[in-house]
Amino acid sequence: SQQGEEDPQALSIQEGENATMNCSYKTSINNLQWYRQNSGRGLVHLILIRSNEREKHSGRLRVTLDTSKKSSSLLITASRAADTASYFCATDAMGGGNKLTFGTGTQLKVEL
Amino acid sequence: NAGVTQTPKFQVLKTGQSMTLQCAQDMNHNSMYWYRQDPGMGLRLIYYSASEGTTDKGEVPNGYNVSRLNKREFSLRLESAAPSQTSVYFCASTSSGRGNEQFFGPGTRLTVL
């Protein structure tokens, strides 16, 4: 079963706007990661946030984690057409072994 | 460094045929993984290998077998392909320890007729 569920499933914005994607999960985690997938390609790691962290930044990316609500959000600021891709959250569950469980993804389209 | 490589890139099989998907990584990673991705879904773990010499089932192992040939290579075998195995298959690897990011190959697009 999918550990993470992303919301929204699809998002369309104009270049320069901010994009926010949300992820909810079910069990306790060690960390949560966000990945990006361009059409027809493999996934690329974007950012990792540990269970004892609440917020993390990397360039134009901002990730928050609320373990009490079992949810995370990914914010992409000042979006560009090149940000058009699918974004997936992945959780490293406590006691789950060295493996990740991926959500269903958010398809982001950034229009010029 | 090539990272994670997968062969073939595309494959069409008939129901009942067998094939092996190859994966290799040159990053000296201990753990390797096979996922499948179906339209509108995230990645689902088929099998993984936490270290050389070990393999474990993931979420959807039925119809598949794996071999961790050495530290670099992790293959996925379909013994008798079925249309339900039509999917895009991704191999990934990570260094040992919890929480490390996974590095993905470019994928194999498999169609079973």
Side-chain angles (χ1 to χ4, degrees), chain B residues 7-61:
Chain B
T7 55
K9 285 187 169 51
F10 301 93
Q11 184 72 48
V12 178
L13 293 177
K14 294 180 180 177
T15 297
Q17 288 186 316
S18 62
M19 79 161 295
T20 300
L21 282 64
Q22 306 287 353
C23 174
Q25 52 89 12
D26 61 3
M27 296 173 283
N28 201 36
H29 285 168
N30 288 317
S31 302
M32 297 185 74
Y33 309 82
W34 276 106
Y35 296 92
R36 61 177 288 172
Q37 184 177 34
D38 300 297
M41 301 186 72
L43 275 68
R44 291 184 292 169
L45 183 64
I46 305 171
Y47 269 95
Y48 67 105
S49 172
S51 61
E52 187 178 355
T54 69
T55 60
D56 285 287
K57 294 179 181 179
E59 183 185 350
V60 289

Side-chain angles (χ1 to χ4, degrees), chain A residues 21-40:
Chain A
M21 290 159 261
N22 303 297
C23 170
S24 60
Y25 57 91
K26 297 174 184 173
T27 63
S28 296
I29 61 171
N30 294 303
N31 67 68
L32 185 144
Q33 303 178 30
W34 285 90
Y35 287 79
R36 165 194 170 125
Q37 183 181 34
N38 287 84
S39 182

Side-chain angles (χ1 to χ4, degrees), chain A residues 17-99:
Chain A
E17 293 180 337
N18 295 341
T20 300
M21 290 159 261
N22 303 297
C23 170
S24 60
Y25 57 91
K26 297 174 184 173
T27 63
S28 296
I29 61 171
N30 294 303
N31 67 68
L32 185 144
Q33 303 178 30
W34 285 90
Y35 287 79
R36 165 194 170 125
Q37 183 181 34
N38 287 84
S39 182
R41 308 288 288 273
L43 277 70
V44 175
H45 182 267
L46 294 175
I47 194 165
L48 179 154
I49 187 165
R50 302 191 186 282
S51 60
N52 61 352
E53 297 175 311
R54 292 296 166 257
E55 186 171 314
K56 202 161 183 180
H57 296 254
S58 176
R60 292 184 297 112
L61 305 180
R62 173 180 167 248
V63 170
T64 62
L65 179 65
D66 186 335
T67 53
S68 66
K69 295 181 179 178
K70 290 188 169 56
S71 67
S72 173
S73 67
L74 172 67
L75 168 68
I76 304 174
T77 60
S79 62
R80 306 165 182 168
D83 294 329
T84 294
S86 292
Y87 293 82
F88 295 90
C89 67
T91 51
D92 177 3
M94 283 188 180
N98 194 25
K99 57 186 191 288

